[in-house]
């Protein structure tokens, strides 16, 4: 039959138009169509029953104007408010109905705060007109602090890859149950001292919600006075509590070991007991008891000798032990030419050489840590900060994503609708520096990693580096930074803005230098100055390994779903994670190389991983390569 939408002739029995640009559903009428065989004896315009009919075909109920096709869809969730235990799974069935006349292929995606734990299977559905297809979305929050308890929002979206603009989403909420997991340890386990010692109680809340605990301490001999808080509120992770243990030491004798126990009672779990030991040292120890008899015996012996010397006759002149006056020629041969200090054999004491002064330890070459914005800025104190120090920053949304904060305006944000901001060093004092946003207003609570280098060359955590400063002049987009001895095409490069209102990126790497550009690929409206750090990721630096570096990338279309993980065993909750967008891999694609890229930030980080996402406002569906450096 002929397609009513485009007029294409289709073979008998076809359900859909064979024209690749159409694909409309074919509704066959009751009678034969032109080109089909008739029943024997049937005349044109007659049915086999002998009743007459019009020679023209009846209009199809699904008639579509030749210039356009009918499209439509409906999206349903079988469960809009699933619940899940951490470490378990919750599944939601997603049904997509095709209410149009074309075969549609829908891509499924999950957005929202619960999207980090979601996977859709299958990720694409092919749905025929008037039919439906089903996929399963599985939520699997981990059993740990990375799956916080509470209610998290999500939305399942289906977008047609055939009919542009045809998409629909269905919202829902995921309830993550709470679980308790608490451990406690004392550091050090045993403390030695006289009247007072200090130990640290390390409480590790491995659950997924804050935990209220009560603390108490006892010792079986009732000899200690243990001071510690009566209670504490523990956020997920480790919390340190100071413990002071006082005792009344004996005057003389041996040290005494006194055991004690600290009991930690959580509000929703079993009590945890921690054993410790207090070694009570006496004021004077046992040596006075040993030395006193010897001193008494020596005094008695000295008194007896003095008594004998006063009663003995005078010794003759020149007897042994007599000292006679004379010059150098009267000295013993072995004493000539030596120091005139009396020798032990002459009854004197030997001079003690003066100790040489100790050299102070060298000042640290770098400082790394975390900060947090408040009121749009942050002041970070660094003891060894100098005017020549180089400072590097990267935003970290861990605190914001854990609290579920969202924004609805047009400020920079990630796919999960978490507010983000590119940061710069806005100023520095003698012992501190100030952090502000490059542009726009950053959200309160936005954390950031920082790295301060006090030297232009050296090693950071065992990796050789070279640091310096450069600038992009007003009206320029790129700048070549030469004269870097250690730079190669395989170097890791971290950039941070000091002055200017545009972020920066890496455009090219070469032997002896690199090319930097504005992140938005626009000429600088005002001069942009920045610090750079060139790191050899494979360098054989000296000392313990405390840093790692490399090149990674986000994945296209992943924003707000499952952020790719940057994995390294050095990454912890407090590690400094530094990131810089790197367009080097786009050199062969002039369209991407010459256009704006999105900045990147840490979405969350934990034991051995950091989730990295691009800012959502620019090019979220393009992979963003970035250089990374982790410093502990």
């Amino acid at each position: 039959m002929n397609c009513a939408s485009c007029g294409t002739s289709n073979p008998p029995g076809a359900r859909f138009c064979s024209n690749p640009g159409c694909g409309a559903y074919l509704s066959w009428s009751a009678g034969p169509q032109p080109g089909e065989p008739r029943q024997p004896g049937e005349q044109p315009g007659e049915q086999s029953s002998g009743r007459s009919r019009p020679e023209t075909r009846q209009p199809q109920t699904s008639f579509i104007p030749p210039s356009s096709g009918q499209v439509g869809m409906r999206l349903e969730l079988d469960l809009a408010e699933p619940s899940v235990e951490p470490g378990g799974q919750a599944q939601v069935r997603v049904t997509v109905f095709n209410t149009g006349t074309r075969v549609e292929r829908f891509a499924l995606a999950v957005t929202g705060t619960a999207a980090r734990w979601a996977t859709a299977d299958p990720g694409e559905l092919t749905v025929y007109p008037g039919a439906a297809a089903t996929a399963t979305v599985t939520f699997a929050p981990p059993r740990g602090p990375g799956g916080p308890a509470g209610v998290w929002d999500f939305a399942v979206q289906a977008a047609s890859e055939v009919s542009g603009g045809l998409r629909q989403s269905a919202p829902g909420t995921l309830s993550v149950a709470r679980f308790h997991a608490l451990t406690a340890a004392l550091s050090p386990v045993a403390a030695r001292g006289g009247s007072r010692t200090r130990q640290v109680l390390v409480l590790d809340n491995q659950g997924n919600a804050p935990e209220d605990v009560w603390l108490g301490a006892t010792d079986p001999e009732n000899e200690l006075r243990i001071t510690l808080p009566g209670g504490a509120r523990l956020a997920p992770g480790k919390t340190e509590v100071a413990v002071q243990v006082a005792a009344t030491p004996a005057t003389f004798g041996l040290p005494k070991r006194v055991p004690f126990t600290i009991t930690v009672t959580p509000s929703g779990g079993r009590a945890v007991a921690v054993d410790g030991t207090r070694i009570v040292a006496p004021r004077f120890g046992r040596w006075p008891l040993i030395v006193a008899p010897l001193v008494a015996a020596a005094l008695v012996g000295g008194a007896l000798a003095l008594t004998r010397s006063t009663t003995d006759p005078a010794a003759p002149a020149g007897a042994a032990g007599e000292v006679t006056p004379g010059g150098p020629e009267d000295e013993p041969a072995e004493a000539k030419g030596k120091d005139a200090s009396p020798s032990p054999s002459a009854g004197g004491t030997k001079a003690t050489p003066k100790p040489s002064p100790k050299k102070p330890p060298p000042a640290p070459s770098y400082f790394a840590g975390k900060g947090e914005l408040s009121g749009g800025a942050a002041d970070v104190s660094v003891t060894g900060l100098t005017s020549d120090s180089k400072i590097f920053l990267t935003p970290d949304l861990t605190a914001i994503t854990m609290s579920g904060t969202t924004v609805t305006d047009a400020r920079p944000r990630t796919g999960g609708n978490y507010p983000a901001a590119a940061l710069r060093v806005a100023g520095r004092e003698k012992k501190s520096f100030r952090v502000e946003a490059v542009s726009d207003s950053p959200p309160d609570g936005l954390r950031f990693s920082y790295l301060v280098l006090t030297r232009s060359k050296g090693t950071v955590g065992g990796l050789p580096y070279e640091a310096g400063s450069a600038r992009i002049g007003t009206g320029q987009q790129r700048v070549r930074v030469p004269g870097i001895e250690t730079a190669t095409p395989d170097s890791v490069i971290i950039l941070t803005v000091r002055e200017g209102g545009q972020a920066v990126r890496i455009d090219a790497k070469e032997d002896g230098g690199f090319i930097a550009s504005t992140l938005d690929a626009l000429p600088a409206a005002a001069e942009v100055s920045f610090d750079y750090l060139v790191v050899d990721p494979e360098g054989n630096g000296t000392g313990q390994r405390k840093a790692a570096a490399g090149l990674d990338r986000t994945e296209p279309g992943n924003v707000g779903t499952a952020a790719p993980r940057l994995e390294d065993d050095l990454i912890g909750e407090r590690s400094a994670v530094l990131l810089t967008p790197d367009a080097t891999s786009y050199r062969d694609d002039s369209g991407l190389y010459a256009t704006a890229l999105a900045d990147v930030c840490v979405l969350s980080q934990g034991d051995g991983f950091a989730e990295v996402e691009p800012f959502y406002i620019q090019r979220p569906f393009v992979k963003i390569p970035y250089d990374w450096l982790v410093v502990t």
Side-chain angles (χ1 to χ4, degrees), residues 405-414 416-419:
T405 302
T406 60
V407 293
T408 56
D409 55 25
R411 285 188 295 167
R413 61 191 187 278
T414 64
N417 212 23
Y418 306 121

mmCIF file with all atom_site columns, all heavy atoms in Angstrom, residues 405-414 416-419:
data_model
loop_
_atom_site.group_PDB
_atom_site.id
_atom_site.type_symbol
_atom_site.label_atom_id
_atom_site.label_alt_id
_atom_site.label_comp_id
_atom_site.label_asym_id
_atom_site.label_entity_id
_atom_site.label_seq_id
_atom_site.pdbx_PDB_ins_code
_atom_site.Cartn_x
_atom_site.Cartn_y
_atom_site.Cartn_z
_atom_site.occupancy
_atom_site.B_iso_or_equiv
_atom_site.pdbx_formal_charge
_atom_site.auth_seq_id
_atom_site.auth_comp_id
_atom_site.auth_asym_id
_atom_site.auth_atom_id
_atom_site.pdbx_PDB_model_num
ATOM 1   N N   . THR A 1 405 ? 21.844 20.612 49.589 1.00 0.00 ? 405 THR A N   1
ATOM 2   C CA  . THR A 1 405 ? 21.543 21.990 49.190 1.00 0.00 ? 405 THR A CA  1
ATOM 3   C C   . THR A 1 405 ? 21.370 22.085 47.679 1.00 0.00 ? 405 THR A C   1
ATOM 4   O O   . THR A 1 405 ? 22.120 21.491 46.927 1.00 0.00 ? 405 THR A O   1
ATOM 5   C CB  . THR A 1 405 ? 22.681 22.915 49.640 1.00 0.00 ? 405 THR A CB  1
ATOM 6   O OG1 . THR A 1 405 ? 22.828 22.795 51.045 1.00 0.00 ? 405 THR A OG1 1
ATOM 7   C CG2 . THR A 1 405 ? 22.368 24.360 49.287 1.00 0.00 ? 405 THR A CG2 1
ATOM 8   N N   . THR A 1 406 ? 20.362 22.827 47.227 1.00 0.00 ? 406 THR A N   1
ATOM 9   C CA  . THR A 1 406 ? 20.153 23.024 45.793 1.00 0.00 ? 406 THR A CA  1
ATOM 10  C C   . THR A 1 406 ? 19.915 24.500 45.523 1.00 0.00 ? 406 THR A C   1
ATOM 11  O O   . THR A 1 406 ? 19.608 25.275 46.416 1.00 0.00 ? 406 THR A O   1
ATOM 12  C CB  . THR A 1 406 ? 18.953 22.215 45.277 1.00 0.00 ? 406 THR A CB  1
ATOM 13  O OG1 . THR A 1 406 ? 17.784 22.641 45.977 1.00 0.00 ? 406 THR A OG1 1
ATOM 14  C CG2 . THR A 1 406 ? 19.164 20.731 45.476 1.00 0.00 ? 406 THR A CG2 1
ATOM 15  N N   . VAL A 1 407 ? 20.047 24.877 44.261 1.00 0.00 ? 407 VAL A N   1
ATOM 16  C CA  . VAL A 1 407 ? 19.732 26.236 43.833 1.00 0.00 ? 407 VAL A CA  1
ATOM 17  C C   . VAL A 1 407 ? 18.828 26.142 42.614 1.00 0.00 ? 407 VAL A C   1
ATOM 18  O O   . VAL A 1 407 ? 18.799 25.140 41.923 1.00 0.00 ? 407 VAL A O   1
ATOM 19  C CB  . VAL A 1 407 ? 21.007 27.029 43.470 1.00 0.00 ? 407 VAL A CB  1
ATOM 20  C CG1 . VAL A 1 407 ? 21.853 27.277 44.685 1.00 0.00 ? 407 VAL A CG1 1
ATOM 21  C CG2 . VAL A 1 407 ? 21.803 26.312 42.407 1.00 0.00 ? 407 VAL A CG2 1
ATOM 22  N N   . THR A 1 408 ? 18.071 27.212 42.359 1.00 0.00 ? 408 THR A N   1
ATOM 23  C CA  . THR A 1 408 ? 17.163 27.214 41.209 1.00 0.00 ? 408 THR A CA  1
ATOM 24  C C   . THR A 1 408 ? 17.454 28.365 40.266 1.00 0.00 ? 408 THR A C   1
ATOM 25  O O   . THR A 1 408 ? 16.759 28.526 39.278 1.00 0.00 ? 408 THR A O   1
ATOM 26  C CB  . THR A 1 408 ? 15.711 27.320 41.690 1.00 0.00 ? 408 THR A CB  1
ATOM 27  O OG1 . THR A 1 408 ? 15.569 28.495 42.509 1.00 0.00 ? 408 THR A OG1 1
ATOM 28  C CG2 . THR A 1 408 ? 15.330 26.102 42.522 1.00 0.00 ? 408 THR A CG2 1
ATOM 29  N N   . ASP A 1 409 ? 18.452 29.194 40.578 1.00 0.00 ? 409 ASP A N   1
ATOM 30  C CA  . ASP A 1 409 ? 18.755 30.300 39.685 1.00 0.00 ? 409 ASP A CA  1
ATOM 31  C C   . ASP A 1 409 ? 19.746 29.859 38.623 1.00 0.00 ? 409 ASP A C   1
ATOM 32  O O   . ASP A 1 409 ? 20.018 28.681 38.457 1.00 0.00 ? 409 ASP A O   1
ATOM 33  C CB  . ASP A 1 409 ? 19.288 31.500 40.475 1.00 0.00 ? 409 ASP A CB  1
ATOM 34  C CG  . ASP A 1 409 ? 20.483 31.123 41.331 1.00 0.00 ? 409 ASP A CG  1
ATOM 35  O OD1 . ASP A 1 409 ? 21.165 30.145 40.979 1.00 0.00 ? 409 ASP A OD1 1
ATOM 36  O OD2 . ASP A 1 409 ? 20.745 31.805 42.336 1.00 0.00 ? 409 ASP A OD2 1
ATOM 37  N N   . ALA A 1 410 ? 20.299 30.824 37.892 1.00 0.00 ? 410 ALA A N   1
ATOM 38  C CA  . ALA A 1 410 ? 21.184 30.510 36.767 1.00 0.00 ? 410 ALA A CA  1
ATOM 39  C C   . ALA A 1 410 ? 22.653 30.504 37.156 1.00 0.00 ? 410 ALA A C   1
ATOM 40  O O   . ALA A 1 410 ? 23.507 30.565 36.293 1.00 0.00 ? 410 ALA A O   1
ATOM 41  C CB  . ALA A 1 410 ? 20.952 31.525 35.642 1.00 0.00 ? 410 ALA A CB  1
ATOM 42  N N   . ARG A 1 411 ? 22.956 30.431 38.458 1.00 0.00 ? 411 ARG A N   1
ATOM 43  C CA  . ARG A 1 411 ? 24.354 30.399 38.858 1.00 0.00 ? 411 ARG A CA  1
ATOM 44  C C   . ARG A 1 411 ? 25.004 29.080 38.438 1.00 0.00 ? 411 ARG A C   1
ATOM 45  O O   . ARG A 1 411 ? 24.309 28.087 38.201 1.00 0.00 ? 411 ARG A O   1
ATOM 46  C CB  . ARG A 1 411 ? 24.470 30.561 40.378 1.00 0.00 ? 411 ARG A CB  1
ATOM 47  C CG  . ARG A 1 411 ? 24.240 31.989 40.848 1.00 0.00 ? 411 ARG A CG  1
ATOM 48  C CD  . ARG A 1 411 ? 24.562 32.111 42.321 1.00 0.00 ? 411 ARG A CD  1
ATOM 49  N NE  . ARG A 1 411 ? 23.653 31.334 43.136 1.00 0.00 ? 411 ARG A NE  1
ATOM 50  C CZ  . ARG A 1 411 ? 23.880 31.069 44.429 1.00 0.00 ? 411 ARG A CZ  1
ATOM 51  N NH1 . ARG A 1 411 ? 24.975 31.484 44.996 1.00 0.00 ? 411 ARG A NH1 1
ATOM 52  N NH2 . ARG A 1 411 ? 23.001 30.383 45.123 1.00 0.00 ? 411 ARG A NH2 1
ATOM 53  N N   . PRO A 1 412 ? 26.333 29.051 38.368 1.00 0.00 ? 412 PRO A N   1
ATOM 54  C CA  . PRO A 1 412 ? 27.011 27.799 38.007 1.00 0.00 ? 412 PRO A CA  1
ATOM 55  C C   . PRO A 1 412 ? 26.625 26.681 38.967 1.00 0.00 ? 412 PRO A C   1
ATOM 56  O O   . PRO A 1 412 ? 26.501 26.890 40.167 1.00 0.00 ? 412 PRO A O   1
ATOM 57  C CB  . PRO A 1 412 ? 28.499 28.161 38.148 1.00 0.00 ? 412 PRO A CB  1
ATOM 58  C CG  . PRO A 1 412 ? 28.549 29.636 37.974 1.00 0.00 ? 412 PRO A CG  1
ATOM 59  C CD  . PRO A 1 412 ? 27.284 30.157 38.546 1.00 0.00 ? 412 PRO A CD  1
ATOM 60  N N   . ARG A 1 413 ? 26.426 25.492 38.436 1.00 0.00 ? 413 ARG A N   1
ATOM 61  C CA  . ARG A 1 413 ? 26.056 24.344 39.250 1.00 0.00 ? 413 ARG A CA  1
ATOM 62  C C   . ARG A 1 413 ? 26.423 23.078 38.496 1.00 0.00 ? 413 ARG A C   1
ATOM 63  O O   . ARG A 1 413 ? 26.723 23.107 37.305 1.00 0.00 ? 413 ARG A O   1
ATOM 64  C CB  . ARG A 1 413 ? 24.561 24.357 39.552 1.00 0.00 ? 413 ARG A CB  1
ATOM 65  C CG  . ARG A 1 413 ? 23.681 24.290 38.315 1.00 0.00 ? 413 ARG A CG  1
ATOM 66  C CD  . ARG A 1 413 ? 22.233 24.581 38.656 1.00 0.00 ? 413 ARG A CD  1
ATOM 67  N NE  . ARG A 1 413 ? 21.352 24.362 37.525 1.00 0.00 ? 413 ARG A NE  1
ATOM 68  C CZ  . ARG A 1 413 ? 21.151 25.252 36.549 1.00 0.00 ? 413 ARG A CZ  1
ATOM 69  N NH1 . ARG A 1 413 ? 21.792 26.399 36.566 1.00 0.00 ? 413 ARG A NH1 1
ATOM 70  N NH2 . ARG A 1 413 ? 20.322 24.981 35.561 1.00 0.00 ? 413 ARG A NH2 1
ATOM 71  N N   . THR A 1 414 ? 26.379 21.968 39.176 1.00 0.00 ? 414 THR A N   1
ATOM 72  C CA  . THR A 1 414 ? 26.615 20.685 38.527 1.00 0.00 ? 414 THR A CA  1
ATOM 73  C C   . THR A 1 414 ? 25.277 20.050 38.189 1.00 0.00 ? 414 THR A C   1
ATOM 74  O O   . THR A 1 414 ? 24.216 20.581 38.509 1.00 0.00 ? 414 THR A O   1
ATOM 75  C CB  . THR A 1 414 ? 27.411 19.753 39.452 1.00 0.00 ? 414 THR A CB  1
ATOM 76  O OG1 . THR A 1 414 ? 26.612 19.484 40.607 1.00 0.00 ? 414 THR A OG1 1
ATOM 77  C CG2 . THR A 1 414 ? 28.711 20.394 39.892 1.00 0.00 ? 414 THR A CG2 1
ATOM 78  N N   . GLY A 1 416 ? 23.648 17.649 39.415 1.00 0.00 ? 416 GLY A N   1
ATOM 79  C CA  . GLY A 1 416 ? 22.771 17.370 40.536 1.00 0.00 ? 416 GLY A CA  1
ATOM 80  C C   . GLY A 1 416 ? 22.181 18.621 41.137 1.00 0.00 ? 416 GLY A C   1
ATOM 81  O O   . GLY A 1 416 ? 21.594 18.585 42.207 1.00 0.00 ? 416 GLY A O   1
ATOM 82  N N   . ASN A 1 417 ? 22.353 19.765 40.459 1.00 0.00 ? 417 ASN A N   1
ATOM 83  C CA  . ASN A 1 417 ? 21.853 21.065 40.897 1.00 0.00 ? 417 ASN A CA  1
ATOM 84  C C   . ASN A 1 417 ? 22.557 21.560 42.149 1.00 0.00 ? 417 ASN A C   1
ATOM 85  O O   . ASN A 1 417 ? 21.999 22.282 42.962 1.00 0.00 ? 417 ASN A O   1
ATOM 86  C CB  . ASN A 1 417 ? 20.345 21.025 41.145 1.00 0.00 ? 417 ASN A CB  1
ATOM 87  C CG  . ASN A 1 417 ? 19.705 22.379 40.829 1.00 0.00 ? 417 ASN A CG  1
ATOM 88  O OD1 . ASN A 1 417 ? 20.246 23.173 40.065 1.00 0.00 ? 417 ASN A OD1 1
ATOM 89  N ND2 . ASN A 1 417 ? 18.561 22.641 41.416 1.00 0.00 ? 417 ASN A ND2 1
ATOM 90  N N   . TYR A 1 418 ? 23.823 21.139 42.328 1.00 0.00 ? 418 TYR A N   1
ATOM 91  C CA  . TYR A 1 418 ? 24.611 21.642 43.438 1.00 0.00 ? 418 TYR A CA  1
ATOM 92  C C   . TYR A 1 418 ? 25.354 22.894 42.984 1.00 0.00 ? 418 TYR A C   1
ATOM 93  O O   . TYR A 1 418 ? 25.988 22.893 41.929 1.00 0.00 ? 418 TYR A O   1
ATOM 94  C CB  . TYR A 1 418 ? 25.626 20.592 43.906 1.00 0.00 ? 418 TYR A CB  1
ATOM 95  C CG  . TYR A 1 418 ? 25.007 19.271 44.242 1.00 0.00 ? 418 TYR A CG  1
ATOM 96  C CD1 . TYR A 1 418 ? 25.392 18.113 43.578 1.00 0.00 ? 418 TYR A CD1 1
ATOM 97  C CD2 . TYR A 1 418 ? 24.026 19.173 45.221 1.00 0.00 ? 418 TYR A CD2 1
ATOM 98  C CE1 . TYR A 1 418 ? 24.826 16.889 43.889 1.00 0.00 ? 418 TYR A CE1 1
ATOM 99  C CE2 . TYR A 1 418 ? 23.454 17.956 45.523 1.00 0.00 ? 418 TYR A CE2 1
ATOM 100 C CZ  . TYR A 1 418 ? 23.855 16.817 44.868 1.00 0.00 ? 418 TYR A CZ  1
ATOM 101 O OH  . TYR A 1 418 ? 23.289 15.623 45.166 1.00 0.00 ? 418 TYR A OH  1
ATOM 102 N N   . PRO A 1 419 ? 25.291 23.968 43.756 1.00 0.00 ? 419 PRO A N   1
ATOM 103 C CA  . PRO A 1 419 ? 25.966 25.208 43.338 1.00 0.00 ? 419 PRO A CA  1
ATOM 104 C C   . PRO A 1 419 ? 27.481 25.048 43.373 1.00 0.00 ? 419 PRO A C   1
ATOM 105 O O   . PRO A 1 419 ? 28.037 24.416 44.256 1.00 0.00 ? 419 PRO A O   1
ATOM 106 C CB  . PRO A 1 419 ? 25.489 26.223 44.378 1.00 0.00 ? 419 PRO A CB  1
ATOM 107 C CG  . PRO A 1 419 ? 25.131 25.405 45.572 1.00 0.00 ? 419 PRO A CG  1
ATOM 108 C CD  . PRO A 1 419 ? 24.606 24.105 45.047 1.00 0.00 ? 419 PRO A CD  1
#
